[in-house]
Amino acid sequence: MREIKFRAWDDVKDRMYFVAEEDDIAFELLSSGSFVGHDLTEGWDSPFQRLEHLKFMQYTGLKDKNDIEIFEGDIVRFEYGEPPAVEITNWGHDVIDGWNEEVIGAISYERGAFMLGEHLLWSMEAAGFDYSLEVIGNVHEH
């Protein structure tokens, strides 16, 4: 089972926060299932204390070739080599259109799965892929 982690982009302060790793921001899971941040440097009665504008991104459970955790919103370079021995499809479409190529794109969460463009992102090793992932940025800072 993968570790459940989140990070949050603050488009007002142009800063990335890592949930449970910040000293000046507290994060709250609301009964609706959404998150909200609280700026601990502001007073509790301040209108700027509640950070409802944050954009939360979930950890995929994967790390890149440099041991960097991959989150939604990360821009990654995905290089692949030989195909696996079995045919793998993504809702009826080929997962990879060609071999010995690279795909660069942003990680998203759609239809209950992490995606890289049109490609389903999962444990490539288990599927038999010869591949490499590298985080080269994220959609908020680049």
Side-chain angles (χ1 to χ4, degrees), residues 58-135:
Q58 188 174 178
Y59 174 49
T60 65
L62 299 173
K63 293 185 178 183
D64 79 353
K65 68 181 187 178
N66 300 313
D67 206 36
I68 295 173
E69 294 175 335
I70 302 173
F71 284 80
E72 283 179 87
D74 279 340
I75 299 170
V76 298
R77 176 180 292 118
F78 173 52
E79 297 174 340
Y80 47 90
E82 295 301 316
V86 297
E87 181 179 339
I88 297 173
T89 60
N90 174 11
W91 292 284
H93 302 288
D94 291 340
V95 174
I96 303 296
D97 296 329
W99 300 105
N100 298 309
E101 296 182 19
E102 75 175 16
V103 173
I104 296 176
I107 302 297
S108 62
Y109 189 76
E110 302 172 32
R111 298 177 281 189
F114 291 104
M115 306 288 289
L116 174 57
E118 295 295 317
H119 306 298
L120 183 63
L121 190 67
W122 69 89
S123 176
M124 300 294 179
E125 292 173 9
F129 277 94
D130 174 21
Y131 77 99
S132 171
L133 285 168
E134 181 181 17
V135 174

Side-chain angles (χ1 to χ4, degrees), residues 49-65:
Q49 192 274 336
R50 191 173 170 106
L51 306 173
E52 295 178 347
H53 62 278
L54 299 179
K55 295 175 178 44
F56 287 88
M57 296 156 278
Q58 188 174 178
Y59 174 49
T60 65
L62 299 173
K63 293 185 178 183
D64 79 353
K65 68 181 187 178

